Amino acid sequence: MSDRIPSGTGEAGPVGLRDRLLNVVRHSVFRNASMLFIVSLLNYVMPLVLIPYLARVLGIEYFGVYAFGMSIYLIGMILIDYGFPVHGLYAITEHRDDRERVSRLLGTMLVIKLALFLLLAAGLGLYVYFNQQFADHRVFLMLMALPVLGGAMQFRWVFQAVEQSGKIVRYMTIGRVVQVALVIAIVSGPGDYLWVPIIHGFAMMLSGVLCIGMIYGLGYRFSLPTWKEIVEQVRGASSYFFANVAEAQIGFAGIFSLSLVTTPASLALYAVSEQLYRALRSLCHPLIDALMPYMKRSNDMRVFRKLCLVLFGITAFGVALGVLLAPYLIHLLFGAKYAEATPILQILLPALLASVPALMIGYPLLASLGHGAQVSGIAVFSAIVTVLILAALWFFGALSGTTVALTVVASEVMIFAGTMILLWRVRAAQRRAPLSGSMPQG
């Protein structure tokens, strides 16, 4: 497949509005994006049911502990997924009809994920032991490893690759509903807070068992890999892994840095705004996840451009509305005692105007054209700058929810600027290249 950016100027024949709508609904991208949007809702709407409930029943101090534990869980999920949500998706898409090859890929990924989980558990133990700010909550923080173990059993990109994302909805719906029901039934006060990670872990493991069962239903297996295959996959997915780690640092380094200098109650004020921002940011992920295999196969720039314009318009409208309604949103979801989180949310929301276009251009387009390493490099560079800024803020005693939020915004703008520069370079290289040649990938 050529890696040139298509012009997308083909003419469509005259069709009616009804036919156009039917074509959109029947399109594989629409179907898979719809399923993945439901997955995204399950990932974030269900927690948005739980988060206000826990914020009220646990109280602000214990909710701060919960928010810190959730940041550990989310970073752990990024670690154990390695670079497989992108690299694994592309690899399985390419070999989807070769069951033996896919089975060996799955076995290799499982071994790597379990090895990374063991490293995570060891690192978490050391961190919890030396962190004095949360010395009274060490058991809770260690229990947050349980849902990460459940995540190691899930391979959603398999279903994306074969364009059967509806199966993701099934196993995740069961897990999320079980989690919400058990938390509401069992957790009724601060004394029950240890049940929160235990229930979360049980629900994630349940989803993992169902996921593996559905993979077997597709005719794939988990074959024992060779050392060579493990090394090959580690190397192949490494650039995407470092990009994911970089994104995690941008998203959660602020919470970790604040945890070193503030109380759980103060941390909770930043955490509620940050989690709302992350939830809104994630709403574009279903479209991106559905586009990645589609763009890998077709390079259909006409569809890509239309979707970019629609998504950016929705994002701009949502940001404006969110900034205006932020005080009411915080009060409605979390109560009056979290009112001080409103200015932080109003700072974070405009960052969506940079992060959403960067995500769209970065992976569905540039990575599918063979420039994934450069996209990852942009994220890594931004993460390094973010850590340096946070370190400087800590050194000068200026760490606060407001300064951390401003740092997140600056990081997202850096990634957007770097992505646009890379896109400009790719298009410039295409114009310089002979029409019969292929575009350079550097």
Side-chain angles (χ1 to χ4, degrees):
M1 180 182 295
S2 172
D3 61 354
R4 296 178 63 85
I5 298 179
S7 62
T9 57
E11 296 295 330
V15 292
L17 177 61
R18 178 177 176 274
D19 292 329
R20 288 181 182 275
L21 291 175
L22 285 174
N23 287 337
V24 169
V25 171
R26 291 168 180 167
H27 202 288
S28 62
V29 172
F30 180 87
R31 293 197 306 269
N32 282 284
S34 299
M35 292 297 101
L36 292 169
F37 182 74
I38 296 173
V39 171
S40 185
L41 289 178
L42 291 171
N43 272 329
Y44 288 93
V45 171
M46 286 291 192
L48 285 177
V49 173
L50 279 181
I51 288 171
Y53 175 78
L54 291 174
R56 295 172 187 274
V57 301
L58 294 181
I60 192 166
E61 179 180 352
Y62 279 86
F63 181 75
V65 177
Y66 165 76
F68 183 51
M70 281 299 296
S71 70
I72 292 174
Y73 157 72
L74 292 171
I75 289 176
M77 289 296 295
I78 290 172
L79 175 65
I80 62 162
D81 275 351
Y82 198 55
F84 298 138
V86 179
H87 176 77
L89 172 60
Y90 287 152
I92 294 173
T93 298
E94 184 176 356
H95 303 287
R96 56 191 286 181
D97 296 324
D98 187 343
R99 291 186 178 180
E100 182 179 351
R101 179 66 183 274
V102 172
S103 296
R104 298 194 72 83
L105 284 171
L106 288 172
T108 305
M109 292 174 191
L110 179 60
V111 168
I112 294 171
K113 291 181 77 173
L114 292 177
L116 288 172
F117 170 76
L118 294 177
L119 288 174
L120 170 72
L124 178 59
L126 289 174
Y127 178 82
V128 168
Y129 179 78
F130 288 106
N131 189 316
Q132 297 303 312
Q133 292 292 117
F134 290 82
D136 295 334
H137 307 288
R138 287 171 176 159
V139 174
F140 177 91
L141 296 180
M142 285 303 302
L143 286 172
M144 290 306 299
L146 293 178
V148 179
L149 178 59
M153 302 163 61
Q154 298 180 30
F155 301 80
R156 65 186 181 279
W157 50 88
V158 175
F159 306 109
Q160 292 172 235
V162 299
E163 298 185 276
Q164 294 190 34
S165 299
K167 288 182 167 58
I168 309 175
V169 176
R170 295 175 200 170
Y171 73 75
M172 289 195 68
T173 299
I174 293 172
R176 292 299 188 188
V177 169
V178 167
Q179 180 189 0
V180 171
L182 289 178
V183 166
I184 293 176
I186 295 175
V187 180
S188 59
D192 301 321
Y193 85 127
L194 289 179
W195 280 105
V196 176
I198 294 173
I199 293 170
H200 192 182
F202 170 75
M204 288 292 289
M205 291 178 195
L206 175 61
S207 292
V209 170
L210 294 172
C211 174
I212 292 173
M214 291 178 183
I215 289 173
Y216 273 75
L218 293 174
Y220 302 132
R221 300 292 184 267
F222 290 83
S223 300
L224 189 65
T226 64
W227 177 251
K228 180 180 178 181
E229 289 172 327
I230 293 173
V231 172
E232 180 181 322
Q233 289 303 310
V234 168
R235 288 177 177 172
S238 61
S239 63
Y240 300 110
F241 169 67
F242 289 123
N244 288 338
V245 170
E247 182 178 348
Q249 283 195 342
I250 292 171
F252 305 113
I255 290 181
F256 273 90
S257 60
L258 285 173
S259 73
L260 300 175
V261 299
T262 190
T263 63
S266 299
L267 182 63
L269 295 175
Y270 175 81
V272 295
S273 297
E274 196 273 342
Q275 290 196 18
L276 282 174
Y277 167 72
R278 292 290 154 193
L280 293 171
R281 186 177 185 268
S282 73
L283 293 178
C284 70
H285 286 181
L287 181 58
I288 292 170
D289 290 342
L291 271 174
M292 282 194 290
Y294 177 76
M295 290 298 293
K296 181 71 174 177
R297 293 195 324 271
S298 68
N299 273 351
D300 189 342
M301 281 298 296
R302 187 172 63 176
V303 169
F304 180 79
R305 287 169 182 156
K306 288 180 179 179
L307 291 175
C308 279
L309 289 173
V310 171
L311 184 60
F312 186 77
I314 293 172
T315 301
F317 176 76
V319 167
L321 192 64
V323 170
L324 290 173
L325 298 181
Y328 307 100
L329 189 62
I330 293 290
H331 186 275
L332 175 66
L333 292 176
F334 304 105
K337 56 188 174 183
Y338 290 89
E340 293 179 40
T342 299
I344 298 173
L345 180 61
Q346 290 173 322
I347 292 171
L348 288 172
L349 285 176
L352 294 171
L353 298 175
S355 63
V356 171
L359 286 169
M360 279 290 289
I361 296 169
Y363 285 107
L365 179 58
L366 291 173
S368 68
L369 296 175
H371 299 277
Q374 292 94 321
V375 175
S376 300
I378 293 168
V380 171
F381 174 79
S382 180
I384 293 171
V385 174
T386 300
V387 171
L388 291 176
I389 293 173
L390 291 173
L393 291 172
W394 171 79
F395 181 80
F396 290 106
L399 267 180
S400 67
T402 299
T403 57
V404 169
L406 289 170
T407 303
V408 170
V409 174
S411 300
E412 300 286 19
V413 171
M414 276 190 286
I415 292 176
F416 172 72
T419 303
M420 295 305 296
I421 291 171
L422 176 59
L423 178 63
W424 177 81
R425 288 184 58 200
V426 169
R427 293 183 66 86
Q430 174 183 316
R431 287 191 294 269
R432 289 194 301 268
L435 291 177
S436 59
S438 62
M439 185 172 58
Q441 296 189 13

